[in-house]
Amino acid sequence: VAVTLSFTATTLSPLQKENVRKEKMQNILSTIGIQTDRDSAEELFNKHITKQLALNQNGEEKDGVIAFDVDLAKELSKPESEQTFPMYIANYDGSEHYIAPLRGNGLWDAIWGYIALKNDANTVKGVVFDHKGETAGLGAEITTDWFQERFVNEKIYNDSGQVVGVEVKKGYSGGDNKSDNAVDAISGATITGDGVSKMMEERLKNYKAYFEKIKKSGKVAIR
């Protein structure tokens, strides 16, 4: 039995890795509104993701590092000054978008996802979140469309010009206000929501130097 299980695991491992790779492409694409199955994911990814960058905290590209291969879980164990920050630049519907991976901690275990910004590098185009062990019906609701849609058109910069992400706020009363850097929390999932807020702020602040550089180049107008 042990030999059979070992053989099966070894045989299926390449297929499992390929499925994970394509699922990652699907998640990245979904943040800009492209929904696809695994079979079409790579073709659409190669078509719409026009550039991949592996950045340091100063917004400079790292030589010899492939953005798609960066393991964010491992990067988080390093000081921020030594981490690599992947960035995917997409072209879709005639507009450029900036997509960054996210990773943090929920109530029980890791949470992660991707956020796409419109061509002003400030306004959220879309997000996708996932988790390892959040509670079904509570924290696990971060994976639902109704929660993720709350982030669309929110801003990641505050009025002081700082990158703060989007706070998942308990008792939020801002309605459809898209300029207050906040969305309504999930009832009964405060710790998971706090994890999403912290994850977004801590990850996105490390891209500010890059955004400021492209702002100075005239490529975007950050407000």
Side-chain angles (χ1 to χ4, degrees):
V1 173
V3 171
T4 301
L5 290 175
S6 177
F7 174 77
T8 301
T10 302
T11 303
L12 293 179
S13 181
L15 180 60
Q16 291 171 338
K17 289 180 180 179
E18 181 66 5
N19 286 339
V20 169
R21 190 177 74 89
K22 288 185 176 180
E23 183 179 1
K24 182 175 179 178
M25 292 178 178
Q26 287 178 278
N27 287 333
I28 292 170
L29 290 170
S30 71
T31 63
I32 57 173
I34 300 175
Q35 304 299 329
T36 182
D37 57 24
R38 285 179 182 170
D39 291 338
S40 302
E42 188 158 10
E43 179 183 354
L44 289 170
F45 184 87
N46 292 334
K47 177 180 178 181
H48 294 288
I49 304 301
T50 57
K51 195 170 185 180
Q52 297 185 41
L53 305 175
L55 305 168
N56 63 21
Q57 200 175 34
N58 297 320
E60 302 161 335
E61 290 187 52
K62 289 188 173 184
D63 294 332
V65 181
I66 300 172
F68 195 85
D69 293 340
V70 174
D71 186 336
L72 217 56
K74 292 181 180 179
E75 293 301 309
L76 286 171
S77 67
K78 306 174 185 176
E80 286 184 338
S81 59
E82 298 176 11
Q83 291 181 28
T84 298
F85 303 96
M87 168 66 66
Y88 303 91
I89 301 177
N91 194 296
Y92 182 59
D93 276 350
S95 296
E96 196 161 73
H97 302 88
Y98 301 90
I99 305 169
L102 307 167
R103 191 173 181 92
N105 295 302
L107 172 60
W108 302 112
D109 213 314
I111 56 176
W112 60 86
Y114 295 88
I115 181 170
L117 304 176
K118 296 183 180 181
N119 60 3
D120 63 355
N122 183 17
T123 306
V124 178
K125 169 68 175 176
V127 299
V128 60
F129 300 125
D130 209 339
H131 67 94
K132 185 174 181 181
E134 300 307 287
T135 306
L138 296 173
E141 294 293 286
I142 63 172
T143 65
T144 60
D145 291 342
W146 63 262
F147 178 69
Q148 295 173 13
E149 286 168 359
R150 294 178 177 179
F151 292 81
V152 176
N153 290 324
E154 290 288 337
K155 312 294 183 184
I156 66 165
Y157 276 75
N158 65 14
D159 292 338
S160 299
Q162 299 301 311
V163 175
V164 295
V166 181
E167 179 185 3
V168 179
K169 192 172 183 179
K170 184 178 180 180
Y172 177 72
S173 59
D176 292 328
N177 187 344
K178 294 296 183 179
S179 300
D180 59 1
N181 311 109
V183 298
D184 195 12
I186 299 168
S187 180
T190 300
I191 295 178
T192 305
D194 290 346
V196 171
S197 303
K198 185 177 180 181
M199 170 177 73
M200 294 186 73
E201 181 176 9
E202 291 191 348
R203 291 292 87 201
L204 290 173
K205 71 180 183 181
N206 291 291
Y207 291 94
K208 184 179 180 183
Y210 172 73
F211 291 147
E212 293 299 325
K213 284 186 177 185
I214 57 177
K215 173 185 175 182
K216 289 178 182 178
S217 72
K219 194 171 184 180
V220 299
I222 298 179
R223 295 185 293 275

Coordinates of all heavy atoms in Angstrom, one line a residue, residues 151-196:
F151 N -14.7 46.2 -3.1 CA -13.4 46.9 -3.3 C -13.3 47.6 -4.6 O -12.4 48.5 -4.7 CB -12.3 45.9 -3.2 CG -12.1 45.3 -1.8 CD1 -12.9 44.3 -1.3 CD2 -11.2 45.8 -0.9 CE1 -12.8 43.7 -0.1 CE2 -11.0 45.3 0.4 CZ -11.9 44.3 0.8
V152 N -14.2 47.3 -5.6 CA -14.1 47.9 -6.9 C -14.2 49.4 -6.8 O -15.2 49.9 -6.2 CB -15.1 47.3 -7.8 CG1 -15.1 48.0 -9.2 CG2 -14.8 45.8 -8.0
N153 N -13.3 50.2 -7.4 CA -13.3 51.6 -7.4 C -12.9 52.3 -6.1 O -12.9 53.5 -6.0 CB -14.6 52.2 -7.9 CG -14.8 51.9 -9.4 OD1 -13.9 51.9 -10.2 ND2 -16.1 51.7 -9.8
E154 N -12.5 51.5 -5.1 CA -11.9 52.1 -3.9 C -10.5 52.6 -4.2 O -9.9 52.2 -5.2 CB -11.9 51.1 -2.8 CG -13.2 50.7 -2.2 CD -13.8 51.7 -1.3 OE1 -13.1 52.6 -0.8 OE2 -15.1 51.7 -1.2
K155 N -10.0 53.5 -3.4 CA -8.7 54.0 -3.6 C -7.7 53.4 -2.6 O -8.1 53.1 -1.4 CB -8.7 55.6 -3.4 CG -9.8 56.3 -4.1 CD -9.6 56.2 -5.6 CE -10.7 57.0 -6.3 NZ -10.6 56.9 -7.8
I156 N -6.4 53.3 -3.0 CA -5.4 52.8 -2.0 C -4.6 53.9 -1.4 O -3.9 53.7 -0.4 CB -4.5 51.7 -2.7 CG1 -3.6 52.4 -3.8 CG2 -5.3 50.6 -3.2 CD1 -2.5 51.5 -4.2
Y157 N -4.6 55.1 -2.0 CA -4.0 56.3 -1.4 C -5.0 57.0 -0.6 O -6.2 57.2 -1.0 CB -3.5 57.2 -2.5 CG -2.1 56.8 -3.1 CD1 -2.0 55.8 -4.0 CD2 -1.0 57.6 -2.8 CE1 -0.8 55.5 -4.5 CE2 0.2 57.3 -3.4 CZ 0.3 56.2 -4.2 OH 1.6 55.9 -4.8
N158 N -4.5 57.6 0.6 CA -5.4 58.4 1.4 C -5.2 59.9 1.0 O -4.4 60.2 0.1 CB -5.2 58.2 2.9 CG -3.8 58.7 3.3 OD1 -3.1 59.3 2.6 ND2 -3.5 58.2 4.6
D159 N -5.9 60.8 1.6 CA -5.9 62.2 1.2 C -4.5 62.8 1.5 O -4.2 63.9 1.0 CB -6.9 63.0 2.0 CG -8.3 62.6 1.5 OD1 -8.5 62.1 0.4 OD2 -9.3 62.9 2.3
S160 N -3.7 62.1 2.3 CA -2.3 62.7 2.7 C -1.3 62.1 1.7 O -0.1 62.4 1.9 CB -2.0 62.3 4.1 OG -2.9 62.9 5.0
G161 N -1.7 61.3 0.7 CA -0.7 60.8 -0.2 C 0.0 59.5 0.2 O 1.0 59.2 -0.4
Q162 N -0.5 58.9 1.3 CA 0.1 57.7 1.8 C -0.7 56.5 1.2 O -1.9 56.5 1.1 CB 0.1 57.6 3.3 CG 0.9 58.7 3.9 CD 2.3 58.7 3.5 OE1 3.0 57.7 3.5 NE2 2.8 59.9 3.1
V163 N 0.0 55.4 1.0 CA -0.6 54.1 0.5 C -1.1 53.4 1.8 O -0.3 52.9 2.6 CB 0.3 53.2 -0.3 CG1 -0.3 51.9 -0.6 CG2 0.7 53.9 -1.5
V164 N -2.4 53.3 1.9 CA -3.0 52.7 3.1 C -3.9 51.5 2.7 O -4.4 50.7 3.6 CB -3.9 53.7 3.9 CG1 -3.1 54.8 4.4 CG2 -5.0 54.2 3.0
G165 N -4.1 51.2 1.4 CA -4.9 50.1 1.0 C -6.4 50.4 1.3 O -6.8 51.5 1.2
V166 N -7.1 49.3 1.5 CA -8.6 49.5 1.8 C -8.9 48.8 3.1 O -8.6 47.6 3.2 CB -9.4 48.9 0.7 CG1 -10.9 49.1 1.0 CG2 -9.1 49.5 -0.7
E167 N -9.4 49.5 4.1 CA -9.7 48.9 5.4 C -11.1 48.2 5.3 O -12.1 48.7 4.9 CB -9.8 49.9 6.5 CG -10.1 49.4 7.8 CD -10.3 50.5 8.9 OE1 -10.2 51.7 8.5 OE2 -10.5 50.2 10.1
V168 N -11.1 46.9 5.9 CA -12.4 46.2 6.1 C -12.8 46.6 7.5 O -12.3 46.2 8.5 CB -12.2 44.7 6.0 CG1 -13.5 44.0 6.2 CG2 -11.6 44.3 4.6
K169 N -13.9 47.5 7.5 CA -14.2 48.2 8.7 C -15.5 47.7 9.3 O -16.6 47.8 8.7 CB -14.3 49.7 8.4 CG -14.4 50.6 9.6 CD -14.3 52.1 9.1 CE -14.3 53.0 10.3 NZ -14.2 54.4 9.8
K170 N -15.4 47.3 10.6 CA -16.6 46.9 11.3 C -17.5 48.1 11.6 O -17.0 49.1 12.1 CB -16.2 46.2 12.6 CG -17.4 45.6 13.4 CD -16.9 44.8 14.6 CE -18.1 44.3 15.4 NZ -17.6 43.5 16.6
G171 N -18.8 48.0 11.4 CA -19.7 49.1 11.6 C -19.6 50.2 10.6 O -19.9 51.4 10.9
Y172 N -19.0 49.9 9.4 CA -18.8 50.9 8.4 C -20.2 51.5 8.0 O -21.2 50.8 7.8 CB -18.2 50.3 7.2 CG -18.0 51.2 6.0 CD1 -17.1 52.2 6.0 CD2 -18.8 51.0 4.8 CE1 -16.9 53.0 4.9 CE2 -18.6 51.9 3.7 CZ -17.7 52.9 3.8 OH -17.5 53.7 2.7
S173 N -20.2 52.9 7.8 CA -21.5 53.6 7.5 C -21.3 54.5 6.3 O -22.0 55.5 6.1 CB -22.0 54.3 8.7 OG -21.0 55.3 9.1
G174 N -20.2 54.2 5.5 CA -19.9 55.1 4.4 C -20.7 54.9 3.1 O -20.5 55.6 2.1
G175 N -21.5 53.9 3.1 CA -22.4 53.6 1.9 C -21.5 53.3 0.7 O -20.6 52.5 0.7
D176 N -21.7 54.1 -0.4 CA -21.0 53.9 -1.6 C -19.8 54.8 -1.8 O -19.3 55.0 -2.9 CB -21.9 54.0 -2.8 CG -23.0 52.9 -2.9 OD1 -22.6 51.8 -2.5 OD2 -24.1 53.2 -3.3
N177 N -19.4 55.4 -0.7 CA -18.2 56.3 -0.7 C -17.0 55.5 -1.2 O -16.6 54.6 -0.5 CB -18.0 56.9 0.6 CG -16.9 58.0 0.6 OD1 -16.1 58.1 -0.3 ND2 -16.9 58.8 1.7
K178 N -16.4 55.9 -2.3 CA -15.2 55.2 -2.9 C -13.9 56.0 -2.6 O -12.9 55.6 -3.1 CB -15.4 55.0 -4.4 CG -16.6 54.1 -4.7 CD -16.3 52.7 -4.2 CE -17.4 51.7 -4.6 NZ -17.2 50.4 -4.2
S179 N -13.9 57.0 -1.7 CA -12.7 57.8 -1.5 C -12.3 57.7 0.0 O -11.5 58.5 0.4 CB -13.0 59.2 -1.9 OG -13.3 59.3 -3.3
D180 N -12.9 56.8 0.8 CA -12.6 56.8 2.2 C -11.7 55.7 2.6 O -11.5 55.4 3.8 CB -13.9 56.8 3.0 CG -14.8 55.6 2.7 OD1 -14.4 54.8 1.9 OD2 -15.9 55.5 3.3
N181 N -11.2 54.9 1.6 CA -10.3 53.8 1.9 C -10.9 52.7 2.8 O -10.2 52.1 3.6 CB -9.0 54.3 2.5 CG -8.4 55.4 1.7 OD1 -8.4 56.6 2.2 ND2 -7.8 55.2 0.5
A182 N -12.2 52.5 2.7 CA -12.8 51.5 3.6 C -14.0 50.9 3.0 O -14.7 51.5 2.1 CB -13.3 52.2 4.9
V183 N -14.3 49.6 3.4 CA -15.5 48.9 2.9 C -16.1 48.2 4.2 O -15.4 48.1 5.2 CB -15.2 47.8 1.9 CG1 -14.6 48.4 0.6 CG2 -14.2 46.7 2.4
D184 N -17.3 47.8 4.0 CA -18.0 47.2 5.2 C -17.5 45.8 5.4 O -17.1 45.0 4.5 CB -19.5 47.1 4.8 CG -20.4 46.8 6.1 OD1 -19.8 46.8 7.2 OD2 -21.5 46.5 5.9
A185 N -17.3 45.4 6.7 CA -16.8 44.1 7.1 C -17.8 43.0 7.0 O -19.0 43.3 6.8 CB -16.3 44.2 8.6
I186 N -17.4 41.8 7.1 CA -18.3 40.6 7.1 C -18.7 40.4 8.6 O -17.9 40.3 9.5 CB -17.5 39.4 6.6 CG1 -17.1 39.6 5.2 CG2 -18.4 38.2 6.7 CD1 -16.1 38.5 4.7
S187 N -20.0 40.3 8.8 CA -20.5 40.1 10.1 C -20.0 38.8 10.7 O -20.0 37.7 10.1 CB -22.1 40.0 10.1 OG -22.6 39.8 11.4
G188 N -19.4 38.9 11.9 CA -18.9 37.8 12.6 C -17.5 37.3 12.2 O -17.1 36.3 12.6
A189 N -16.9 38.1 11.4 CA -15.5 37.7 10.9 C -14.5 38.9 11.0 O -13.8 39.2 10.1 CB -15.6 37.3 9.4
T190 N -14.6 39.5 12.2 CA -13.7 40.7 12.4 C -12.2 40.4 12.3 O -11.5 41.2 11.6 CB -14.0 41.2 13.9 OG1 -15.4 41.6 14.0 CG2 -13.2 42.5 14.1
I191 N -11.8 39.3 12.8 CA -10.3 39.0 12.8 C -9.9 38.8 11.4 O -8.8 39.2 10.9 CB -10.0 37.9 13.7 CG1 -10.2 38.3 15.2 CG2 -8.5 37.5 13.5 CD1 -10.0 37.2 16.2
T192 N -10.7 38.0 10.6 CA -10.3 37.8 9.2 C -10.3 39.1 8.4 O -9.4 39.4 7.6 CB -11.3 36.8 8.5 OG1 -11.4 35.6 9.3 CG2 -10.9 36.5 7.1
G193 N -11.3 39.9 8.7 CA -11.4 41.3 8.0 C -10.2 42.1 8.3 O -9.6 42.8 7.5
D194 N -9.8 42.1 9.6 CA -8.6 42.8 10.0 C -7.4 42.3 9.3 O -6.5 43.1 9.0 CB -8.4 42.7 11.5 CG -9.4 43.5 12.3 OD1 -10.2 44.3 11.7 OD2 -9.5 43.3 13.6
G195 N -7.3 41.0 9.1 CA -6.2 40.4 8.4 C -6.2 40.9 6.9 O -5.1 41.1 6.4
V196 N -7.3 41.0 6.3 CA -7.4 41.5 4.9 C -6.9 43.0 4.9 O -6.1 43.3 4.0 CB -8.8 41.4 4.3 CG1 -8.9 42.1 3.0 CG2 -9.2 40.0 4.2

